Amino acid sequence: LRGRDISYVDYIAVGKGRDMGFETINTFEAKIAAGNGEQVLSREIRRLAHNMDFARLLTWYHTGNGFFINTALTMLSVQASVWVLLLLVFQRHNNAAVQQWLAAVQVLQLGSLSIVVYWATLVLEAGLFESVYILIKQMVQGSLMFYVFRAQTSAFNFTQDLLFGGAKYLPTGRGYKLVHTRFRDIWKRFGRSHIYFGAVLLQYCLAVVAAGHLKGTQLLLLWAPMLVVVSLLYGPFWFTPFAFRTKLVMVSA
């Protein structure tokens, strides 16, 4: 208006954050997931959805209860894909088309497309080369492992509340944990919800390899289930403070 160039930002990202440890974050996710399980069982959700148009329903589903429903189905699909592979190897089914189809399903079921959206956001905020550096850095730090572990936290607590109820407030605290977590505490906290599931999935994968005599590139069919196995079995040990201190590891053992 006054002969000068004025730059405008077409979007604003506002977030709330605080310093939290690995267990605190998962406790928070468990609380929210169980609460959404209670919402799904309530009549209020049906009444609310009944008065929305289709576009609003899609937005509400994606940002509300639908997120936890999709997460539960995603974790279930990982196990179901291994069941399908196990059935195929028992039937001596070596159709290459079926193997390619299963590989494509595994790429999509772990939320790989959401990484593309996240990368596009980073490109807008930081530029092309900086966004690539950020993605590589986060992968090395174990962000994908944390994503899978958090997904299992939400899926487990959501489905458990659908089956048995019992959602309640879980205190998460406000501090940042700098104390090494002992193995027995990790087992008590994540054994039933994560470690058991990861161990069972690992047994299925080993059965597929043994029964199907898989070798070489055929092992790539199991990359998605094995990523989940590694995330669930080693995630809490990777993210606990001082995880690589040999003395503390020996004391925990």
Side-chain angles (χ1 to χ4, degrees):
L1 296 177
R2 298 182 179 180
R4 298 180 180 179
D5 295 331
I6 302 175
S7 60
Y8 290 92
V9 179
D10 57 354
Y11 68 95
I12 299 176
V14 180
K16 173 189 175 183
R18 60 171 183 247
D19 291 337
M20 295 187 300
F22 178 75
E23 295 183 16
T24 305
I25 296 174
N26 280 278
T27 301
F28 176 79
E29 291 288 340
K31 174 175 60 178
I32 300 302
N36 273 267
E38 292 290 338
Q39 292 181 19
V40 170
L41 297 175
S42 66
R43 297 179 179 177
E44 285 77 8
I45 293 298
R46 188 263 177 191
R47 294 169 180 168
L48 181 64
H50 186 69
N51 295 293
M52 292 184 182
D53 55 45
F54 182 71
R56 291 179 181 271
L57 276 175
L58 292 178
T59 303
W60 172 75
Y61 179 86
H62 177 70
T63 59
N65 308 117
F67 171 79
F68 296 92
I69 296 174
N70 292 342
T71 302
L73 292 177
T74 298
M75 299 307 297
L76 179 62
S77 68
V78 176
Q79 196 172 32
S81 66
V82 183
W83 290 342
V84 172
L85 283 174
L86 194 59
L87 180 62
L88 291 177
V89 297
F90 281 154
Q91 294 182 346
R92 299 295 187 267
H93 199 297
N94 297 319
N95 192 336
V98 175
Q99 295 180 1
Q100 294 176 359
W101 172 77
L102 287 172
V105 170
Q106 291 175 1
V107 170
L108 297 176
Q109 71 186 3
L110 288 178
S112 301
L113 294 179
S114 61
I115 298 179
V116 177
V117 178
Y118 175 62
W119 176 70
T121 304
L122 289 178
V123 171
L124 291 176
E125 294 181 351
L128 178 61
F129 296 103
E130 185 67 20
S131 64
V132 174
Y133 169 75
I134 293 174
L135 276 180
I136 296 176
K137 179 181 177 181
Q138 291 180 347
M139 292 298 177
V140 172
Q141 292 175 340
S143 62
L144 190 58
M145 182 187 301
F146 179 81
Y147 170 81
V148 175
F149 197 92
R150 183 215 55 79
Q152 175 60 15
T153 300
S154 299
F156 177 81
N157 288 277
F158 179 75
T159 54
Q160 287 295 302
D161 192 85
L162 288 180
L163 294 174
F164 309 110
K168 60 181 179 180
Y169 174 78
L170 299 175
T172 56
R174 296 295 183 271
Y176 189 78
K177 186 175 181 181
L178 294 176
V179 180
H180 181 77
T181 305
R182 296 174 65 90
F183 174 79
R184 64 183 182 185
D185 297 328
I186 293 177
W187 184 270
K188 289 193 305 183
R189 175 67 180 84
F190 301 112
R192 191 166 66 94
S193 57
H194 296 75
I195 299 178
Y196 290 173
F197 182 83
V200 171
L201 195 60
L202 176 60
Q203 293 177 1
Y204 290 159
C205 292
L206 294 178
V208 170
V209 174
H213 304 289
L214 301 184
K215 57 183 179 180
T217 57
Q218 293 178 336
L219 295 174
L220 294 177
L221 288 173
L222 296 173
W223 77 268
M226 287 306 301
L227 174 62
V228 176
V229 168
V230 173
S231 301
L232 298 184
L233 294 184
Y234 296 102
F237 304 100
W238 177 276
F239 292 107
T240 186
F242 310 111
F244 301 102
R245 293 281 183 88
T246 306
K247 184 183 295 186
L248 292 176
V249 172
M250 296 302 296
V251 171
S252 297

